[in-house]
Amino acid sequence: MTDAKAGWQLRAFWLALALVIADQVTKAAVRASIPPYETVPVIPGLLNLTHVLNTGAAFGMLNNVDFPFKSAVVALLALAALVAIAFYAATFGSE
């Protein structure tokens, strides 16, 4: 692996980590300070923050469906997607 590629991958890793941490911090702040289904204006007339509950997957998929082991099914779908992405990325080789 070249130094440029390693440097790019390291920067991408730290960026992804920072985004995950920022996501989790903002979610914790909303849970602690905004009651469910309440809206707080951040920039009046432009940006509001609303506490919503999503028990489904991305963009609310499976949100209104209730079946046993729903969390496990959603986790397995996410894992399958990650494996598919890793497999796809591995097919590129070291080009």
Side-chain angles (χ1 to χ4, degrees):
M1 180 172 357
T2 66
D3 287 339
K5 186 174 181 180
W8 178 87
Q9 289 176 338
L10 188 58
R11 285 191 303 274
F13 169 78
W14 287 115
L15 176 62
L17 182 64
L19 290 173
V20 168
I21 290 170
D23 176 61
Q24 294 304 309
V25 167
T26 56
K27 286 178 183 177
V30 167
R31 281 192 302 268
S33 62
I34 302 175
Y37 308 107
E38 292 291 322
T39 299
V40 174
V42 177
I43 302 173
L46 180 65
L47 178 65
N48 294 333
L49 195 59
T50 302
H51 184 172
V52 295
L53 305 174
N54 178 10
T55 60
F59 309 109
M61 292 184 336
L62 300 177
N63 194 30
N64 293 328
V65 180
D66 194 23
F67 57 91
F69 308 110
K70 180 170 128 178
S71 296
V73 169
V74 170
L76 286 173
L77 288 171
L79 180 62
L82 285 173
V83 168
I85 291 168
F87 178 76
Y88 179 73
T91 61
F92 283 115
S94 59
E95 295 176 13

